């Protein structure tokens, strides 16, 4: 399973960082995003399909699924409050007018592709692939008794995930709270990636609905 995590981890960065540079002149950014995401989603399911089924069974034995999903809405609201407070503080020290550029790019992308594609990208692909890459691949196999390594890899995971979603320094206020909750849920439920996937799904689905119908 560790080898499969490495394959997905390397594939993720090759596809998401290298392909746009190589193919940008030949394929529109919208269809490049859809194609890249579909490839990584299929690869993740092929590599981790059986593992995810077993982890879902383990998770279902730990918690009541309905109550957990309701708690995810609470986490979403908590993150929203933290973001507002963080932005108010940051505004005292730096220019935050450029904040949310990554979100604006997602909004524009969602307007140029079919609704089902927007849902696939944000509510299916992102929770499944990103959690396997940034939580499972980076944290799933470290010895829990090696505390310095656990702390180092957790900080590294949080940092990389946050920065990859950041186009302006103030964007950290938007994505760091989300990243911290995702990582906390992963550790809270004994490194069960289903926990962070489900919250990631809830968070992104609310975002998709907001973008498509209220913006």
């Amino acid at each position: 399973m560790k080898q499969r995590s490495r394959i997905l981890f390397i594939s993720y960065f090759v596809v998401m960082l290298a392909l746009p540079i190589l193919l940008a002149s030949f394929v529109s950014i919208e269809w490049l995003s859809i194609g890249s995401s579909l490839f990584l989603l299929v690869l993740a399911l092929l590599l981790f399909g059986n593992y995810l089924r077993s982890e879902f069974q383990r998770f279902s034995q730990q918690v009541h699924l309905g109550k957990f999903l309701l708690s995810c809405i609470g986490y979403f609201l908590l993150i929203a409050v933290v973001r507002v407070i963080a932005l108010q503080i940051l505004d005292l020290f730096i220019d935050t007018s450029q904040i949310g550029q990554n979100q604006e790019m997602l909004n524009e992308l969602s307007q140029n592709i079919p609704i089902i594609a927007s849902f696939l990208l944000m509510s299916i692909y992102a929770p499944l692939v990103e959690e396997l890459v940034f939580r499972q691949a980076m944290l799933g196999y470290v010895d829990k008794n090696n505390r310095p390594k656990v702390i180092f890899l957790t900080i590294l995971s949080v940092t990389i995930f946050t920065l990859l979603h950041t186009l302006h320094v103030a964007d950290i206020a938007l994505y760091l709270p989300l990243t911290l909750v995702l990582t906390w849920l992963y550790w809270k439920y004994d490194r069960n990636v289903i926990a962070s996937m489900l919250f990631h799904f809830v968070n992104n689905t609310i975002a998709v609905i907001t973008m498509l119908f209220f913006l």
Side-chain angles (χ1 to χ4, degrees), residues 157-166 171-172 175-176 179-180:
S157 170
V158 167
T159 301
I160 294 175
F161 184 86
T162 301
L163 292 181
L164 283 178
H165 291 78
T166 298
D171 285 335
I172 293 174
Y175 291 100
L176 181 58
T179 312
L180 291 174

Side-chain angles (χ1 to χ4, degrees), residues 97-157:
S97 61
Q98 301 299 313
I99 196 168
Q101 287 184 341
N102 183 65
Q103 190 62 48
E104 289 179 9
M105 290 172 60
L106 290 173
N107 293 347
E108 184 177 346
L109 177 64
S110 69
Q111 299 301 319
N112 294 321
I113 61 177
I115 291 178
I116 188 65
S118 295
F119 179 80
L120 176 67
L121 286 173
M122 293 190 62
S123 296
I124 305 299
Y125 157 77
L128 195 148
V129 173
E130 291 183 351
E131 292 311 306
L132 285 173
V133 170
F134 293 101
R135 252 59 68 182
Q136 188 62 31
M138 296 190 70
L139 305 175
Y141 309 104
V142 60
D143 182 1
K144 290 190 289 186
N145 295 320
N146 189 340
R147 193 165 182 80
K149 192 172 183 179
V150 167
I151 293 172
F152 171 75
L153 288 177
T154 299
I155 293 173
L156 184 64
S157 170

Side-chain angles (χ1 to χ4, degrees), residues 12 68-69 71-73 75-76 79 83 102 106 119-135 161-162 165 175 178-183 185-186 192-208:
Y12 176 86
F68 179 79
L69 291 175
S71 70
C72 286
I73 296 176
Y75 297 142
F76 177 86
I79 288 172
R83 284 170 168 169
N102 183 65
L106 290 173
F119 179 80
L120 176 67
L121 286 173
M122 293 190 62
S123 296
I124 305 299
Y125 157 77
L128 195 148
V129 173
E130 291 183 351
E131 292 311 306
L132 285 173
V133 170
F134 293 101
R135 252 59 68 182
F161 184 86
T162 301
H165 291 78
Y175 291 100
L178 170 63
T179 312
L180 291 174
V181 172
L182 289 170
T183 308
L185 286 171
Y186 179 74
N192 193 320
V193 74
I194 298 298
S196 56
M197 278 185 183
L198 286 176
F199 175 62
H200 205 153
F201 167 79
V202 170
N203 179 84
N204 284 19
T205 299
I206 294 174
V208 169

